[in-house]
Amino acid sequence: YVQAAFYTETERLRAIGGKLRPIPRQLGAVERAHVTAIKNALGRAAVKRPAFDFHGVTEDRARFLKTAVAFEDLAAAAYKAQATRIKSPALLAAAIAIHSVEARHAAWMRYLAGVTPATAAFDEGKPISEVKAIVASTHFIAARPRVASRRNPRYTG
């Protein structure tokens, strides 16, 4: 949910320009499709979408790109770590299909940020407890949707 909301809000605010301008639209559509796939695979076990407050990150080019790199790296590591724990064939198929896309997103965002896309031959996964702690540390999950801008986006997380 956090990636889908992040890119969707950035796209709707239209505050990121230049060569980054198409990225929120492209990645937002993909991340929304990931949410749908996981929700469909989990059924009633899927968690509800929280609200988000991105604290202006979706309006600042440098902060947007830094956050996109971090989110894409985190997503790839999270999916990797969960693969061995998934018992449902349908959920595993969805997670593996999403993992490879997240890895390509991470490489793309790293390239755009001037960060080496891959520095090691092997990547470690991140356990769900660590992923949750990292997401919580951003303070992006909020009691109610909010944007720092005076603009009024149609969607806020």
Side-chain angles (χ1 to χ4, degrees):
Y1 290 120
V2 70
Q3 287 179 291
F6 171 72
Y7 292 119
T8 299
E9 181 173 293
T10 304
E11 176 186 7
R12 299 250 168 104
L13 289 172
R14 296 184 177 139
I16 307 301
K19 67 182 178 181
L20 298 181
R21 185 166 185 83
I23 289 175
R25 180 184 47 79
Q26 292 169 339
L27 289 157
V30 171
E31 299 302 347
R32 289 187 298 273
H34 290 173
V35 168
T36 299
I38 293 296
K39 283 175 60 179
N40 288 341
L42 288 173
R44 290 184 174 192
V47 298
K48 291 183 179 181
R49 181 185 57 78
F52 296 97
D53 176 352
F54 290 107
H55 307 285
V57 170
T58 56
E59 302 176 57
D60 178 270
R61 185 181 197 283
R63 291 174 68 200
F64 163 80
L65 191 53
K66 184 177 179 179
T67 302
V69 169
F71 276 165
E72 298 302 342
D73 282 350
L74 183 62
Y79 279 103
K80 178 179 177 128
Q82 295 306 304
T84 60
R85 299 183 64 220
I86 299 172
K87 305 298 181 222
S88 161
L91 184 55
L92 181 59
I96 293 300
I98 292 169
H99 174 265
S100 64
V101 173
E102 294 296 345
R104 288 193 304 274
H105 286 177
W108 186 20
M109 293 305 99
R110 284 173 155 267
Y111 171 78
L112 290 173
V115 178
T116 304
T119 58
F122 303 96
D123 283 332
E124 295 296 320
K126 287 202 184 302
I128 194 67
S129 59
E130 189 175 340
V131 171
K132 286 180 177 181
I134 290 168
V135 172
S137 75
T138 67
H139 303 288
F140 290 160
I141 297 176
R144 59 190 168 93
R146 184 176 172 282
V147 290
S149 176
R150 294 179 189 260
R151 300 173 189 166
N152 189 14
R154 294 169 289 177
Y155 174 89
T156 310

PDB file of all heavy atoms in Angstrom, residues 34-46 86 88-95 98:
ATOM      1  N   HIS A  34       0.078  -4.416  -8.007  1.00  0.00           N
ATOM      2  CA  HIS A  34       0.629  -5.316  -6.989  1.00  0.00           C
ATOM      3  C   HIS A  34      -0.319  -5.421  -5.796  1.00  0.00           C
ATOM      4  O   HIS A  34      -0.550  -6.517  -5.280  1.00  0.00           O
ATOM      5  CB  HIS A  34       1.992  -4.818  -6.505  1.00  0.00           C
ATOM      6  CG  HIS A  34       3.084  -4.951  -7.517  1.00  0.00           C
ATOM      7  ND1 HIS A  34       4.343  -4.427  -7.305  1.00  0.00           N
ATOM      8  CD2 HIS A  34       3.125  -5.531  -8.737  1.00  0.00           C
ATOM      9  CE1 HIS A  34       5.112  -4.689  -8.351  1.00  0.00           C
ATOM     10  NE2 HIS A  34       4.388  -5.361  -9.239  1.00  0.00           N
ATOM     11  N   VAL A  35      -0.849  -4.293  -5.358  1.00  0.00           N
ATOM     12  CA  VAL A  35      -1.794  -4.301  -4.245  1.00  0.00           C
ATOM     13  C   VAL A  35      -2.998  -5.175  -4.585  1.00  0.00           C
ATOM     14  O   VAL A  35      -3.416  -6.017  -3.781  1.00  0.00           O
ATOM     15  CB  VAL A  35      -2.245  -2.860  -3.874  1.00  0.00           C
ATOM     16  CG1 VAL A  35      -3.444  -2.880  -2.928  1.00  0.00           C
ATOM     17  CG2 VAL A  35      -1.096  -2.076  -3.265  1.00  0.00           C
ATOM     18  N   THR A  36      -3.539  -5.007  -5.763  1.00  0.00           N
ATOM     19  CA  THR A  36      -4.697  -5.795  -6.188  1.00  0.00           C
ATOM     20  C   THR A  36      -4.358  -7.284  -6.209  1.00  0.00           C
ATOM     21  O   THR A  36      -5.137  -8.111  -5.727  1.00  0.00           O
ATOM     22  CB  THR A  36      -5.193  -5.330  -7.568  1.00  0.00           C
ATOM     23  OG1 THR A  36      -5.581  -3.955  -7.458  1.00  0.00           O
ATOM     24  CG2 THR A  36      -6.363  -6.157  -8.051  1.00  0.00           C
ATOM     25  N   ALA A  37      -3.199  -7.636  -6.746  1.00  0.00           N
ATOM     26  CA  ALA A  37      -2.804  -9.045  -6.834  1.00  0.00           C
ATOM     27  C   ALA A  37      -2.658  -9.670  -5.451  1.00  0.00           C
ATOM     28  O   ALA A  37      -3.145 -10.784  -5.214  1.00  0.00           O
ATOM     29  CB  ALA A  37      -1.499  -9.181  -7.616  1.00  0.00           C
ATOM     30  N   ILE A  38      -2.006  -8.970  -4.546  1.00  0.00           N
ATOM     31  CA  ILE A  38      -1.815  -9.501  -3.198  1.00  0.00           C
ATOM     32  C   ILE A  38      -3.152  -9.581  -2.459  1.00  0.00           C
ATOM     33  O   ILE A  38      -3.437 -10.575  -1.787  1.00  0.00           O
ATOM     34  CB  ILE A  38      -0.787  -8.655  -2.407  1.00  0.00           C
ATOM     35  CG1 ILE A  38       0.602  -8.796  -3.026  1.00  0.00           C
ATOM     36  CG2 ILE A  38      -0.774  -9.035  -0.937  1.00  0.00           C
ATOM     37  CD1 ILE A  38       1.199 -10.193  -2.962  1.00  0.00           C
ATOM     38  N   LYS A  39      -3.986  -8.552  -2.589  1.00  0.00           N
ATOM     39  CA  LYS A  39      -5.304  -8.599  -1.951  1.00  0.00           C
ATOM     40  C   LYS A  39      -6.130  -9.761  -2.481  1.00  0.00           C
ATOM     41  O   LYS A  39      -6.788 -10.461  -1.713  1.00  0.00           O
ATOM     42  CB  LYS A  39      -6.043  -7.272  -2.164  1.00  0.00           C
ATOM     43  CG  LYS A  39      -5.547  -6.157  -1.258  1.00  0.00           C
ATOM     44  CD  LYS A  39      -6.200  -4.831  -1.564  1.00  0.00           C
ATOM     45  CE  LYS A  39      -7.681  -4.858  -1.413  1.00  0.00           C
ATOM     46  NZ  LYS A  39      -8.314  -3.552  -1.685  1.00  0.00           N
ATOM     47  N   ASN A  40      -6.083  -9.976  -3.783  1.00  0.00           N
ATOM     48  CA  ASN A  40      -6.821 -11.100  -4.368  1.00  0.00           C
ATOM     49  C   ASN A  40      -6.289 -12.437  -3.873  1.00  0.00           C
ATOM     50  O   ASN A  40      -7.055 -13.353  -3.591  1.00  0.00           O
ATOM     51  CB  ASN A  40      -6.784 -11.044  -5.893  1.00  0.00           C
ATOM     52  CG  ASN A  40      -7.639  -9.923  -6.443  1.00  0.00           C
ATOM     53  OD1 ASN A  40      -8.517  -9.389  -5.779  1.00  0.00           O
ATOM     54  ND2 ASN A  40      -7.361  -9.544  -7.680  1.00  0.00           N
ATOM     55  N   ALA A  41      -4.971 -12.557  -3.763  1.00  0.00           N
ATOM     56  CA  ALA A  41      -4.371 -13.810  -3.301  1.00  0.00           C
ATOM     57  C   ALA A  41      -4.659 -14.061  -1.821  1.00  0.00           C
ATOM     58  O   ALA A  41      -4.874 -15.196  -1.409  1.00  0.00           O
ATOM     59  CB  ALA A  41      -2.868 -13.802  -3.553  1.00  0.00           C
ATOM     60  N   LEU A  42      -4.687 -12.999  -1.013  1.00  0.00           N
ATOM     61  CA  LEU A  42      -4.930 -13.146   0.421  1.00  0.00           C
ATOM     62  C   LEU A  42      -6.411 -13.250   0.771  1.00  0.00           C
ATOM     63  O   LEU A  42      -6.758 -13.783   1.823  1.00  0.00           O
ATOM     64  CB  LEU A  42      -4.318 -11.970   1.189  1.00  0.00           C
ATOM     65  CG  LEU A  42      -2.804 -11.945   1.283  1.00  0.00           C
ATOM     66  CD1 LEU A  42      -2.329 -10.637   1.907  1.00  0.00           C
ATOM     67  CD2 LEU A  42      -2.299 -13.134   2.079  1.00  0.00           C
ATOM     68  N   GLY A  43      -7.252 -12.700  -0.080  1.00  0.00           N
ATOM     69  CA  GLY A  43      -8.684 -12.727   0.215  1.00  0.00           C
ATOM     70  C   GLY A  43      -9.003 -11.985   1.495  1.00  0.00           C
ATOM     71  O   GLY A  43      -8.519 -10.878   1.733  1.00  0.00           O
ATOM     72  N   ARG A  44      -9.768 -12.624   2.375  1.00  0.00           N
ATOM     73  CA  ARG A  44     -10.173 -11.986   3.639  1.00  0.00           C
ATOM     74  C   ARG A  44      -9.021 -11.742   4.597  1.00  0.00           C
ATOM     75  O   ARG A  44      -9.154 -10.964   5.538  1.00  0.00           O
ATOM     76  CB  ARG A  44     -11.230 -12.838   4.326  1.00  0.00           C
ATOM     77  CG  ARG A  44     -12.540 -12.822   3.614  1.00  0.00           C
ATOM     78  CD  ARG A  44     -13.566 -13.598   4.374  1.00  0.00           C
ATOM     79  NE  ARG A  44     -14.862 -13.451   3.736  1.00  0.00           N
ATOM     80  CZ  ARG A  44     -15.983 -13.812   4.268  1.00  0.00           C
ATOM     81  NH1 ARG A  44     -15.999 -14.363   5.469  1.00  0.00           N
ATOM     82  NH2 ARG A  44     -17.115 -13.628   3.630  1.00  0.00           N
ATOM     83  N   ALA A  45      -7.909 -12.405   4.384  1.00  0.00           N
ATOM     84  CA  ALA A  45      -6.747 -12.216   5.258  1.00  0.00           C
ATOM     85  C   ALA A  45      -5.985 -10.925   4.937  1.00  0.00           C
ATOM     86  O   ALA A  45      -5.100 -10.537   5.701  1.00  0.00           O
ATOM     87  CB  ALA A  45      -5.806 -13.411   5.140  1.00  0.00           C
ATOM     88  N   ALA A  46      -6.312 -10.267   3.838  1.00  0.00           N
ATOM     89  CA  ALA A  46      -5.625  -9.027   3.464  1.00  0.00           C
ATOM     90  C   ALA A  46      -5.910  -7.934   4.491  1.00  0.00           C
ATOM     91  O   ALA A  46      -7.035  -7.797   4.973  1.00  0.00           O
ATOM     92  CB  ALA A  46      -6.078  -8.570   2.080  1.00  0.00           C
ATOM     93  N   ILE A  86       5.904 -18.679   2.481  1.00  0.00           N
ATOM     94  CA  ILE A  86       4.584 -18.718   1.853  1.00  0.00           C
ATOM     95  C   ILE A  86       4.215 -20.147   1.496  1.00  0.00           C
ATOM     96  O   ILE A  86       4.946 -20.832   0.782  1.00  0.00           O
ATOM     97  CB  ILE A  86       4.550 -17.814   0.607  1.00  0.00           C
ATOM     98  CG1 ILE A  86       4.834 -16.359   1.000  1.00  0.00           C
ATOM     99  CG2 ILE A  86       3.214 -17.930  -0.110  1.00  0.00           C
ATOM    100  CD1 ILE A  86       5.017 -15.411  -0.173  1.00  0.00           C
ATOM    101  N   SER A  88       0.872 -20.967   0.343  1.00  0.00           N
ATOM    102  CA  SER A  88      -0.142 -20.945  -0.706  1.00  0.00           C
ATOM    103  C   SER A  88       0.515 -20.813  -2.078  1.00  0.00           C
ATOM    104  O   SER A  88       1.249 -19.846  -2.323  1.00  0.00           O
ATOM    105  CB  SER A  88      -1.086 -19.756  -0.490  1.00  0.00           C
ATOM    106  OG  SER A  88      -1.779 -19.437  -1.665  1.00  0.00           O
ATOM    107  N   PRO A  89       0.271 -21.758  -2.994  1.00  0.00           N
ATOM    108  CA  PRO A  89       0.845 -21.642  -4.332  1.00  0.00           C
ATOM    109  C   PRO A  89       0.425 -20.356  -5.063  1.00  0.00           C
ATOM    110  O   PRO A  89       1.239 -19.744  -5.745  1.00  0.00           O
ATOM    111  CB  PRO A  89       0.322 -22.886  -5.061  1.00  0.00           C
ATOM    112  CG  PRO A  89       0.015 -23.858  -3.972  1.00  0.00           C
ATOM    113  CD  PRO A  89      -0.442 -23.023  -2.808  1.00  0.00           C
ATOM    114  N   ALA A  90      -0.818 -19.940  -4.886  1.00  0.00           N
ATOM    115  CA  ALA A  90      -1.294 -18.719  -5.552  1.00  0.00           C
ATOM    116  C   ALA A  90      -0.573 -17.483  -5.008  1.00  0.00           C
ATOM    117  O   ALA A  90      -0.160 -16.614  -5.775  1.00  0.00           O
ATOM    118  CB  ALA A  90      -2.802 -18.567  -5.380  1.00  0.00           C
ATOM    119  N   LEU A  91      -0.418 -17.421  -3.703  1.00  0.00           N
ATOM    120  CA  LEU A  91       0.269 -16.278  -3.095  1.00  0.00           C
ATOM    121  C   LEU A  91       1.753 -16.292  -3.445  1.00  0.00           C
ATOM    122  O   LEU A  91       2.339 -15.245  -3.736  1.00  0.00           O
ATOM    123  CB  LEU A  91       0.073 -16.270  -1.581  1.00  0.00           C
ATOM    124  CG  LEU A  91       0.644 -15.080  -0.828  1.00  0.00           C
ATOM    125  CD1 LEU A  91       0.117 -13.762  -1.384  1.00  0.00           C
ATOM    126  CD2 LEU A  91       0.332 -15.198   0.649  1.00  0.00           C
ATOM    127  N   LEU A  92       2.365 -17.468  -3.451  1.00  0.00           N
ATOM    128  CA  LEU A  92       3.778 -17.564  -3.822  1.00  0.00           C
ATOM    129  C   LEU A  92       3.994 -17.107  -5.262  1.00  0.00           C
ATOM    130  O   LEU A  92       4.937 -16.370  -5.547  1.00  0.00           O
ATOM    131  CB  LEU A  92       4.294 -18.992  -3.638  1.00  0.00           C
ATOM    132  CG  LEU A  92       5.768 -19.200  -3.978  1.00  0.00           C
ATOM    133  CD1 LEU A  92       6.675 -18.310  -3.127  1.00  0.00           C
ATOM    134  CD2 LEU A  92       6.147 -20.665  -3.824  1.00  0.00           C
ATOM    135  N   ALA A  93       3.123 -17.527  -6.158  1.00  0.00           N
ATOM    136  CA  ALA A  93       3.241 -17.114  -7.564  1.00  0.00           C
ATOM    137  C   ALA A  93       3.149 -15.599  -7.683  1.00  0.00           C
ATOM    138  O   ALA A  93       3.939 -14.978  -8.408  1.00  0.00           O
ATOM    139  CB  ALA A  93       2.168 -17.790  -8.409  1.00  0.00           C
ATOM    140  N   ALA A  94       2.209 -14.992  -6.973  1.00  0.00           N
ATOM    141  CA  ALA A  94       2.072 -13.528  -7.007  1.00  0.00           C
ATOM    142  C   ALA A  94       3.312 -12.855  -6.426  1.00  0.00           C
ATOM    143  O   ALA A  94       3.843 -11.908  -6.999  1.00  0.00           O
ATOM    144  CB  ALA A  94       0.821 -13.097  -6.242  1.00  0.00           C
ATOM    145  N   ALA A  95       3.799 -13.353  -5.293  1.00  0.00           N
ATOM    146  CA  ALA A  95       4.952 -12.739  -4.634  1.00  0.00           C
ATOM    147  C   ALA A  95       6.220 -12.838  -5.483  1.00  0.00           C
ATOM    148  O   ALA A  95       6.971 -11.867  -5.588  1.00  0.00           O
ATOM    149  CB  ALA A  95       5.179 -13.384  -3.268  1.00  0.00           C
ATOM    150  N   ILE A  98       5.983 -10.448  -8.410  1.00  0.00           N
ATOM    151  CA  ILE A  98       6.163  -9.068  -7.952  1.00  0.00           C
ATOM    152  C   ILE A  98       7.621  -8.808  -7.579  1.00  0.00           C
ATOM    153  O   ILE A  98       8.169  -7.737  -7.876  1.00  0.00           O
ATOM    154  CB  ILE A  98       5.214  -8.758  -6.775  1.00  0.00           C
ATOM    155  CG1 ILE A  98       3.763  -8.749  -7.280  1.00  0.00           C
ATOM    156  CG2 ILE A  98       5.584  -7.437  -6.107  1.00  0.00           C
ATOM    157  CD1 ILE A  98       2.728  -8.706  -6.168  1.00  0.00           C
TER     158      ILE A  98
END
